[in-house]
Amino acid sequence: MDAAILVALILGIGVTLFLIIGVPISVSVGIASVLAIFTIVDFDDGLLTSAQRMFTGMNSFTLLAIPFFVLAGGIMNNGGIAARLVNCAKVLSGRMPGSLAHTNTFANMLFGSLSGSAVAAAAAVGSTMSPMQEKEGYKREFSAAVNIGSAPTGMLIPPSNIMIVYSLVSGGTSIAALFVAGYLPGILWGLGCILVALVIAKKRGYKSQINLTFKQKLFVFIDAVPSLLLVVIVIGGIIGGVFTATEASAIAVVYALLLSFIYRTIKWKDLPAILLDATRTTSIVLFLIGVSSIMSWVMSFTNIPGLIADTLLSLTGNMIIILLIMNLVLLLIGTFMDPTPAILIFTPIFLPIAQSFGMDPVHFGIIMVFNLSIGTITPPVGPVIFVGSRVAGLPIEGIVRPLLPFFAMAVVVLLIVVYVPSVSLLLPEAFNLISR
């Protein structure tokens, strides 16, 4: 049997079987990758190569940004920032029908972009907004669907840990360009959710319940400005070349910590628990990156990405159809795999195919992140739908149907992002971060 086919079977069947019996995905990927290496080199060399690739994969200055951004997100989750952003979102939603639903969406976009976590946004914003919406007569299923459907927008609106991982595995794509490229797709997704919620709110007669005077709106906005400045400082500094993404992540930690102390929402005794939680999350991500580096090496050594590319191109030479196939695969993968391992595994496979058609790696990175972000709201694995259902106090079965219009809108926006490159590339080009 050809080595590439044997390796592909071991990787595919191995990871699948381990996941079925309940082995964590990082361990599943690691074991399957090491077993695959043993088919092409002897035992001693296989162990040595696996260890080298694992540590080489994690030995990157860029990856230091991940623990810092994770820690910054943890501080913000506990630092009273969510409530201020919700209040700011109320001002943005204005007097539209279903204004509380739109407030939820705006707040998820704001908080998700600051924390970089869709799960954190769904939990922090959802726990604040759900009781308010229920009190005003909104159906809990609708409120939960709005919260879940809009939470992943923060994975596209920077800073985004997934984009940092993509930058690493794609061969050094500019993090600054990826961050800036995520703004318009993320905002379009959020606006799509608002449009769906507006149609449903009009149909059900959900009126605006937000009545703030100009003075109150001004106070709410001013109160939220220090929190919003975090994005300006981090992204502005990266784009302006003042500091790197890694340095920006450390600045984000210091700024979030100072802000939380000023708000008096975090005490010194709270820090050990926050640090421990950030350490757990970071260790999982970095271990996954390490074992995925083993898989990437064995796939590259046996030219599996090239074989997959040749197979796809032999089916059709139409770029539109090939992109559609890749998106369908990524949407399917996203339903049972977290975004980080999916990025690590499928970027080396699909990126060369996309580049063979002249696609910019920044554009393709946004496509991958968008696809896998949708996966976070789809069962059976989607973490956001689980958190959102728990916050709403509803079973997942009761949320799936109300969530479908928001899912459909996300797919529509995804297709726009896929087939209209300017949506992703307009801002990076405007800031001279890429050139076409």
Side-chain angles (χ1 to χ4, degrees):
M1 182 183 293
D2 184 81
I5 297 175
L6 180 59
V7 166
L9 288 173
I10 292 173
L11 290 176
I13 296 174
V15 171
T16 302
L17 288 178
F18 286 129
L19 289 176
I20 289 174
I21 63 176
V23 178
I25 188 167
S26 55
V27 178
S28 301
V29 170
I31 295 174
S33 300
V34 172
L35 291 176
I37 282 183
F38 292 152
T39 65
I40 53 178
V41 297
D42 60 41
F43 184 79
D44 290 340
D45 288 341
L47 289 180
L48 180 61
T49 301
S50 299
Q52 287 177 335
R53 297 312 307 172
M54 187 171 181
F55 283 98
T56 301
M58 293 186 289
N59 185 24
S60 170
F61 177 74
T62 302
L63 286 180
L64 283 175
I66 292 179
F68 283 122
F69 277 132
V70 169
L71 179 57
I75 294 170
M76 286 185 283
N77 289 348
N78 295 274
I81 292 175
R84 287 170 172 82
L85 294 179
V86 167
N87 290 334
C88 181
K90 288 181 183 178
V91 175
L92 294 174
S93 62
R95 300 296 301 274
M96 293 187 291
S99 55
L100 289 178
H102 311 317
T103 297
N104 195 325
T105 299
F106 279 125
N108 273 336
M109 293 168 68
L110 294 172
F111 187 77
S113 67
L114 291 173
S115 67
S117 170
V119 172
V125 177
S127 59
T128 302
M129 293 302 306
S130 292
M132 295 171 61
Q133 293 181 69
E134 187 173 4
K135 183 179 178 181
E136 298 297 339
Y138 292 54
K139 287 187 176 182
R140 280 199 295 168
E141 292 81 1
F142 170 70
S143 301
V146 172
N147 185 44
I148 294 166
S150 60
T153 55
M155 297 172 70
L156 285 162
I157 303 173
S160 169
N161 289 332
I162 301 177
M163 291 182 186
I164 296 172
V165 174
Y166 172 82
S167 170
L168 175 73
V169 75
S170 65
T173 305
S174 167
I175 294 177
L178 286 167
F179 277 7
V180 174
Y183 272 108
L184 288 182
I187 291 171
L188 281 178
W189 186 347
L191 293 178
C193 289
I194 289 172
L195 179 61
V196 172
L198 182 62
V199 172
I200 296 174
K202 280 188 173 182
K203 183 178 178 181
R204 296 182 180 177
Y206 295 149
K207 304 294 184 183
S208 171
Q209 304 293 335
I210 299 175
N211 296 296
L212 299 175
T213 65
F214 176 78
K215 186 177 180 180
Q216 289 172 322
K217 290 179 180 179
L218 185 61
F219 174 79
V220 166
F221 179 75
I222 292 173
D223 191 41
V225 164
S227 302
L228 296 173
L229 275 178
L230 178 60
V231 174
V232 177
I233 293 171
V234 170
I235 305 303
I238 294 173
I239 294 174
V242 179
F243 38 71
T244 65
T246 304
E247 293 164 344
S249 65
I251 291 170
V253 170
V254 174
Y255 186 86
L257 194 59
L258 288 174
L259 204 58
S260 298
F261 281 141
I262 292 172
Y263 290 153
R264 297 183 179 179
T265 48
I266 285 183
K267 299 178 181 178
W268 287 107
K269 66 178 182 179
D270 299 325
L271 290 181
I274 295 173
L275 288 168
L276 182 60
D277 186 59
T279 302
R280 287 197 190 102
T281 302
T282 301
S283 62
I284 293 170
V285 173
L286 292 182
F287 180 69
L288 186 51
I289 290 172
V291 296
S292 294
S293 297
I294 305 174
M295 176 178 281
S296 297
W297 181 87
V298 72
M299 287 196 303
S300 176
F301 187 84
T302 54
N303 196 34
I304 290 176
L307 292 175
I308 294 175
D310 291 340
T311 302
L312 270 178
L313 293 173
S314 67
L315 296 174
T316 176
N318 190 313
M319 179 182 177
I320 294 175
I321 296 176
I322 288 180
L323 282 176
L324 186 60
I325 293 172
M326 287 194 292
N327 278 276
L328 288 173
V329 171
L330 289 171
L331 283 173
L332 178 63
I333 291 299
T335 63
F336 63 88
M337 186 179 289
D338 285 338
T340 300
I343 288 282
L344 290 166
I345 293 170
F346 289 94
T347 298
I349 296 174
F350 287 152
L351 180 59
I353 302 173
Q355 287 182 307
S356 70
F357 287 102
M359 180 176 285
D360 191 288
V362 172
H363 180 205
F364 188 73
I366 299 302
I367 291 173
M368 287 203 71
V369 172
F370 204 126
N371 271 286
L372 298 171
S373 297
I374 293 176
T376 64
I377 66 173
T378 54
V381 176
V384 175
I385 193 172
F386 283 98
V387 171
S389 65
R390 187 166 67 247
V391 168
L394 293 168
I396 291 178
E397 312 86 71
I399 295 175
V400 171
R401 188 172 180 179
L403 186 61
L404 287 177
F406 296 93
F407 177 84
M409 178 57 73
V411 172
V412 169
V413 176
L414 169 63
L415 291 174
I416 294 172
V417 171
V418 170
Y419 293 112
V420 184
S422 295
V423 175
S424 300
L425 302 181
L426 179 65
L427 291 181
E429 288 176 348
F431 287 101
N432 293 317
L433 297 172
I434 61 172
S435 58
R436 283 196 289 173

